[in-house]
Amino acid sequence: MAWVFGKCRHLTPNTALLVIMGAVLWLPISFAAATAMHAVLFAKIASWPAWMQLLHPLATVVAKSKLLVLPVYPAAWPQAKNNRFVRLVFKGYETVKRVYVIKKVGFRYRQAEIVRIAAVERFERTVGIASAVSWLRKAHVAEHLGVEKPSQKLSSFFSRWSIKFSAEYYEAKERQASGAAPSLNNSNP
């Protein structure tokens, strides 16, 4: 990943956008190619010579190659968002967001959500299960079972791994490594 972040940091906006588009296209291509290779190898298992089954690792490498392109997205995005086309898309999105009809739909959606919540609470009170539902809402079940809320689990997972998906993390590691290298050379005269 450090290599990918190092290389993508110096890309031009157009090249960065092409790299991201290539990664997006590689996902379905590699899936289809690996699936087809495995299907043919399994179908011909009885008729082809035994050494042809050694192509299974190749199909597996093609299938796993999807994982190798995943760091491209966060690495190339800082450069790609400076591309004129990407800026035009963002500007178009902001323009659509400011259209009266879109604002009105968003407002009505929020109103419908409020009405839904009120209707559910009214139903709970009418049926007489309001206290049980409120107890569940306060997550006593999760506390008694020692289970974290999903949002807490996801945020803790993300906080552990997100730092490694930023260019700043790898730039700091490079500076730290380059700062440590001269001191090692100076200590050995």
Side-chain angles (χ1 to χ4, degrees), residues 4-5 7-24 71-91 167:
V4 170
F5 275 94
K7 291 293 183 185
C8 288
R9 178 180 23 182
H10 303 293
L11 295 176
T12 64
N14 289 340
T15 308
L17 189 61
L18 285 174
V19 165
I20 289 175
M21 287 175 32
V24 167
V72 168
Y73 303 107
W77 180 246
Q79 294 297 334
K81 68 182 176 184
N82 294 328
N83 183 289
R84 286 190 330 200
F85 176 73
V86 173
R87 286 186 290 177
L88 182 68
V89 168
F90 281 138
K91 188 176 179 182

Side-chain angles (χ1 to χ4, degrees), residues 38-180:
H38 276 107
V40 169
L41 287 170
F42 283 130
K44 302 291 185 174
I45 200 165
S47 61
W48 281 359
W51 66 268
M52 291 293 286
Q53 294 304 316
L54 293 174
L55 292 175
H56 277 290
L58 176 65
T60 302
V61 167
V62 171
K64 300 292 183 188
S65 68
K66 292 185 287 291
L67 299 174
L68 296 175
V69 298
L70 289 179
V72 168
Y73 303 107
W77 180 246
Q79 294 297 334
K81 68 182 176 184
N82 294 328
N83 183 289
R84 286 190 330 200
F85 176 73
V86 173
R87 286 186 290 177
L88 182 68
V89 168
F90 281 138
K91 188 176 179 182
Y93 169 74
E94 292 297 327
T95 302
V96 168
K97 203 168 80 171
R98 286 191 302 263
V99 172
Y100 174 76
V101 173
I102 301 298
K103 286 181 178 180
K104 188 71 171 182
V105 167
F107 177 73
R108 292 293 182 210
Y109 178 79
R110 287 186 294 280
Q111 273 185 331
E113 184 69 17
I114 291 167
V115 167
R116 183 194 65 81
I117 290 169
V120 167
E121 288 175 354
R122 178 70 137 174
F123 174 74
E124 291 167 358
R125 276 186 267 132
T126 304
V127 174
I129 59 171
S131 61
V133 172
S134 66
W135 180 77
L136 286 172
R137 280 195 187 121
K138 292 178 185 171
H140 284 295
V141 172
E143 289 175 16
H144 291 297
L145 295 176
V147 178
E148 289 182 81
K149 292 181 181 177
S151 60
Q152 292 170 339
K153 282 176 132 176
L154 290 175
S155 63
S156 68
F157 173 79
F158 183 72
S159 67
R160 285 194 312 267
W161 289 96
S162 66
I163 191 71
K164 294 181 182 168
F165 285 110
S166 67
E168 292 83 18
Y169 174 80
Y170 290 103
E171 288 171 2
K173 281 187 81 168
E174 276 182 17
R175 282 193 299 273
Q176 185 181 17
S178 65

